[in-house]
């Protein structure tokens, strides 16, 4: 029995899906660093620290007082992000002499998916759009953010150092910023008489480091 169209489509879709995922990850500094896990079910339940335990000094024979942390249990529902991009078979067969039409359309759709996901990762609001998810702006509690003033302010190296120090438990793994902010950071570094460190990642992209932390624009 010959290979059926349905079975052949599985092979094609697997290859296409792999190419789309690779393109999205290659162009996204956030997705390159976030760990991903497979979930079977409707969502993910996790515990977030609410209050930390305390410690004290004691004399010999003192009665030790118990102090344990408390946690807040949160559940995040799984969301779907994607897009449909159809290419007519006739166009694919007759208009691909210079560039593969299907590849071009799918890659541009992958770019749109990446841009939407990155924007939602920062500014997402599931209350305003229940189909999306909450971004960092909503997930960060008080004390985890740093204000530049009521009307904003100019970036300084001192303020950037303060932001880095606001991350507890070690340095942040990434400084994510706009291209404008990265230009300002480069200018501040040059003005101070130093240059930011640079290095290529596994995708061949040139990375810029501030205080050993990769700083990338979106």
């Amino acid at each position: 029995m010959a290979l059926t169209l349905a079975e052949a489509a599985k092979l094609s879709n697997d290859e296409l899906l792999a190419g789309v995922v690779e393109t999205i990850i290659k162009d996204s500094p956030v997705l390159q660093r976030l760990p991903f896990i497979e979930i079977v079910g409707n969502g993910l339940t996790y515990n977030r620290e609410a209050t930390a335990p305390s410690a004290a000094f004691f004399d010999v024979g003192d009665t030790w007082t118990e102090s344990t942390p408390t946690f807040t249990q949160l559940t995040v529902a799984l969301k779907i992000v994607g897009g449909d991009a159809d290419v007519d078979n006739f166009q694919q067969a007759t208009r691909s002499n210079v560039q593969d039409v299907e590849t071009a359309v799918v890659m541009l759709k992958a770019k749109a998916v990446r841009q939407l996901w990155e924007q939602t990762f920062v500014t997402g609001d599931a209350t305003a759009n229940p189909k999306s998810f909450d971004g960092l702006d909503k997930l960060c509690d008080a004390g985890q953010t740093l204000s530049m003033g009521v009307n904003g302010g100019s970036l300084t190296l001192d303020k950037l150092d303060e932001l880095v120090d606001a991350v507890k438990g070690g340095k942040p793994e990434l400084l994510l910023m706009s291209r404008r902010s990265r230009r300002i950071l480069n200018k501040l570094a040059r003005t101070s008489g130093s240059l930011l460190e640079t290095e290529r990642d596994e995708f061949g992209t040139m990375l810029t480091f501030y205080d050993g932390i990769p700083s990338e624009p979106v």
Side-chain angles (χ1 to χ4, degrees):
M1 180 179 176
L3 183 67
T4 64
L5 181 60
E7 292 301 318
K10 293 179 182 178
L11 299 177
S12 177
N13 286 339
D14 287 346
E15 182 178 348
L16 180 61
L17 178 60
V20 170
V21 172
E22 181 180 355
T23 298
I24 292 176
I25 293 178
K26 179 180 179 181
D27 295 335
S28 174
V30 180
L31 289 172
Q32 290 173 15
R33 288 167 176 79
L34 282 181
F36 284 84
I37 60 175
E38 293 186 6
I39 297 176
V40 178
N42 297 322
L44 173 67
T45 299
Y46 65 97
N47 294 320
R48 184 170 65 188
E49 180 182 319
T51 58
S54 62
F57 291 99
F58 300 95
D59 284 329
V60 175
D62 277 352
T63 300
W64 287 45
T65 55
E66 182 182 6
S67 175
T68 56
T70 61
F71 303 91
T72 301
Q73 191 170 79
L74 302 172
T75 299
V76 180
L78 296 182
K79 306 291 182 171
I80 302 173
V81 59
D84 185 26
D86 297 327
V87 177
D88 188 274
N89 289 334
F90 178 78
Q91 292 177 325
Q92 175 67 11
T94 62
R95 300 294 189 271
S96 297
N97 58 317
V98 176
Q99 184 176 0
D100 188 286
V101 175
E102 182 181 12
T103 299
V105 171
V106 171
M107 290 302 102
L108 288 175
K109 178 63 71 170
K111 178 180 179 182
V113 170
R114 172 183 60 82
Q115 291 174 336
L116 174 61
W117 189 92
E118 287 182 336
Q119 178 182 348
T120 308
F121 177 75
V122 178
T123 63
D125 186 345
T127 302
N129 181 8
K131 295 180 182 180
S132 69
F133 57 89
D134 287 334
L136 294 179
D137 284 349
K138 289 202 64 177
L139 293 176
C140 288
D141 290 334
Q144 294 180 298
T145 60
L146 185 64
S147 174
M148 294 294 290
V150 178
N151 298 317
S154 299
L155 178 66
T156 65
L157 295 182
D158 288 340
K159 206 68 175 179
L160 186 56
D161 289 337
E162 187 178 347
L163 177 63
V164 170
D165 289 341
V167 179
K168 306 302 182 183
K171 289 185 178 181
E173 297 181 9
L174 177 67
L175 294 174
L176 196 64
M177 61 190 70
S178 67
R179 284 172 168 77
R180 176 177 177 271
S181 295
R182 187 180 66 170
R183 292 196 301 270
I184 295 175
L185 177 58
N186 286 331
K187 181 179 179 181
L188 290 172
R190 290 193 298 269
T191 303
S192 67
S194 62
L195 295 175
L196 300 179
E197 303 173 25
T198 57
E199 183 180 317
R200 291 192 182 276
D201 63 9
E202 62 270 26
F203 296 100
T205 304
M206 187 64 72
L207 300 180
T208 302
F209 292 81
Y210 176 79
D211 194 20
I213 308 167
S215 55
E216 295 202 44
V218 290

